[in-house]
Amino acid sequence: MKTPVYKSVYLYLTHACNAGCSFCYRRGLFERNKRETLGPAFMSEDMAFRILDFVFSRLELDAKFSIFFWGGEPLLNMKVIRAVVERYPQFLFHANTSGKPVTEEMFNWFMAHRNMNLTWSLGNAYEKYGGLAGKVKAEPWAFRLVKDNLANNVNFMVTQYDRFIEDFDYLVENVTRNITIDLATRVEHKEEDLERFADEYFRLLEKYRHDEVLYRSMNPAFHSNLYLREFGLKSQVRPFHYCRSGLERLFIDTAGGIWQCDNMYICQHNRLGDIESGIDYSRLELAWAIDADRERYLGQHCQDCELYGVCPRNKCLGLNLEWMGDMFKPEPSFCKMCRVLFKITKRYIEIEKGQQHAGISWREE
């Protein structure tokens, strides 16, 4: 039986969160399951070290293995983060945070431990603070963590379409150029809003095309197989993306239960084992089969779509399982997001092809 080589493990530090985002995918966990059945609300230091003892002694790890702290709001369990990072300084760590829990003491600790990277999630900026400027003002230590450490970044979850360009400019000018852009998958996006988002996203590409670092990070074309087919090495193109969850990464809950990913944990589906009994690798047979024949599995329910084989993000199996009851049946709001990214990518490629035929690059105009 094949056994994976793991690139990362996700430690689910706590169920608790103080952000209160209306579109949070984690809400499904408590809608599906009673809290008392999900183990302790917070992972203990002892459990964290028992988990990592299991990981280091019983799993095969990639040379660039890293550890993610997950939640809930992981910084609400800061004592475990401190303990783990200080015991294992040779590893790279990462956490997502709403920013609200960050204090001056935390700021000083994070700045002293540069192997610990943070993503500041801005998703609740509008609901809680009226916008990005309000969130930055209300969470000054999270702001400084991103401003003063270039390895940290922000995730801009767009929910107010009429302020997209204005708010993106605000982030670039006042916070960081290390920005990822997402559309919430728990929001019913109107078609006119998505059309506007696609147009304004492209206007941002035009505006920042001479900023090499920012441009490459924000341009969805550079991360698409459609772009590779047109300008790259066609032999490297894989038509169907797959995160290889369970084969490259694991999710471990507060009680030491092991899952392929956090969405599988939400559904309480396909538990792989626990740190005491180990992993039942026979439960990964489907994951290996998907990896070996992606079109057969990931192409299901998508054959009539214009994005077949060129979908920017393709399928999130855990998300599909939670919302559709079938891990291969795509969740509609995720499809809408993929169509927007595809539209932006296709438009960029058409312009780039025209400019290249004319002997110049779009960014050199």
Side-chain angles (χ1 to χ4, degrees):
M1 184 175 297
K2 291 194 293 185
T3 56
V5 176
Y6 289 106
K7 294 182 177 181
S8 59
V9 63
Y10 287 66
L11 302 186
Y12 182 55
L13 297 189
T14 179
H15 299 304
C17 184
N18 56 359
C21 303
S22 64
F23 49 81
C24 178
Y25 74 101
R26 182 66 60 190
R27 292 177 182 272
L29 177 66
F30 307 119
E31 292 168 358
R32 288 174 168 271
N33 308 282
K34 293 182 178 179
R35 289 177 184 257
E36 58 267 24
T37 68
L38 296 171
F42 290 84
M43 182 181 289
S44 67
E45 288 183 48
D46 176 67
M47 176 56 72
F49 289 131
R50 286 168 57 198
I51 289 171
L52 291 175
D53 285 344
F54 166 82
V55 168
F56 298 145
S57 64
R58 299 176 64 177
L59 301 181
E60 188 174 351
L61 305 180
D62 187 81
K64 295 182 178 180
F65 174 78
S66 59
I67 297 170
F68 286 71
F69 297 115
W70 219 241
E73 169 53 69
L75 268 59
L76 293 178
N77 199 350
M78 189 66 193
K79 66 176 184 178
V80 168
I81 293 177
R82 286 176 180 265
V84 170
V85 173
E86 290 173 2
R87 179 173 292 190
Y88 299 106
Q90 68 271 38
F91 292 110
L92 180 65
F93 299 88
H94 190 90
N96 281 46
T97 178
S98 70
K100 188 174 182 180
V102 183
T103 62
E104 182 178 5
E105 181 185 3
M106 285 187 190
F107 169 82
N108 291 328
W109 185 88
F110 282 119
M111 292 299 289
H113 294 81
R114 294 303 182 101
N115 62 327
M116 175 76 207
N117 295 337
L118 286 173
T119 294
W120 184 20
S121 176
L122 306 179
N124 70 346
Y126 303 100
E127 294 180 336
K128 301 299 181 182
Y129 304 109
L132 296 187
K135 184 172 177 69
V136 168
K137 183 177 180 180
E139 299 172 359
W141 293 109
F143 161 67
R144 283 196 58 186
L145 270 177
V146 174
K147 183 78 170 177
D148 295 355
N149 184 352
L150 296 179
N152 296 331
N153 70 303
V154 299
N155 176 245
F156 182 18
M157 187 74 73
V158 180
T159 57
Q160 296 286 330
Y161 301 94
D162 58 335
R163 299 167 66 174
F164 176 42
I165 291 182
E166 173 189 346
D167 284 338
F168 187 88
D169 289 342
Y170 173 82
L171 291 176
V172 172
E173 293 165 8
N174 299 283
V175 184
T176 182
R177 293 159 63 239
N178 194 0
I179 306 167
T180 57
I181 301 173
D182 272 318
L183 284 173
T185 57
R186 296 303 195 269
V187 173
E188 184 55 41
H189 304 284
K190 298 178 181 178
E191 289 300 330
E192 58 266 31
D193 288 333
L194 294 173
E195 289 294 328
R196 179 175 186 171
F197 176 74
D199 288 340
E200 294 192 343
Y201 200 136
F202 202 82
R203 284 172 58 196
L204 282 178
L205 289 180
E206 292 179 306
K207 182 174 183 177
Y208 289 103
R209 62 185 176 181
H210 298 298
D211 186 326
E212 184 68 26
V213 174
L214 180 60
Y215 185 78
R216 292 202 69 84
S217 67
M218 69 180 287
N219 191 340
F222 294 148
H223 311 287
S224 73
N225 52 16
L226 189 65
Y227 181 86
L228 270 175
R229 283 183 176 182
E230 200 64 52
F231 302 115
L233 299 174
K234 293 179 175 58
S235 62
Q236 295 180 353
V237 176
R238 303 193 75 171
F240 295 89
H241 303 293
Y242 174 44
C243 73
R244 305 191 82 240
S245 188
L247 304 182
E248 290 187 353
R249 58 187 62 84
L250 290 175
F251 178 91
I252 305 182
D253 65 34
T254 59
I258 303 172
W259 311 80
Q260 285 178 255
C261 71
D262 50 348
N263 276 105
M264 296 290 184
Y265 174 66
I266 289 173
C267 298
Q268 298 284 286
H269 175 83
N270 199 26
R271 189 173 187 265
L272 299 178
D274 58 57
I275 61 170
E276 300 300 331
S277 60
I279 296 174
D280 179 357
Y281 287 106
S282 68
R283 293 182 176 273
L284 291 174
E285 289 179 358
L286 178 58
W288 286 115
I290 295 169
D291 193 49
D293 192 353
R294 299 185 183 202
E295 184 167 2
R296 173 187 172 189
Y297 291 96
L298 301 180
Q300 294 180 43
H301 307 289
C302 299
Q303 290 87 344
D304 297 328
C305 179
E306 64 171 326
L307 274 61
Y308 186 81
V310 291
C311 194
R313 296 193 177 178
N314 212 256
K315 294 182 175 179
C316 175
L317 304 189
L319 172 68
N320 295 341
L321 180 66
E322 180 191 355
W323 279 73
M324 309 303 293
D326 180 341
M327 67 176 64
F328 301 115
K329 191 172 185 178
E331 192 274 323
S333 67
F334 192 76
C335 288
K336 288 182 178 180
M337 178 173 63
C338 288
R339 287 192 178 95
V340 169
L341 295 176
F342 177 78
K343 190 173 295 185
I344 297 165
T345 296
K346 191 174 181 181
R347 183 176 173 185
Y348 169 78
I349 289 174
E350 288 171 353
I351 291 177
E352 184 72 13
K353 284 171 63 177
Q355 296 292 352
Q356 288 195 11
H357 289 157
I360 59 174
S361 169
W362 184 45
R363 282 177 286 166
E364 294 173 354
E365 286 182 292

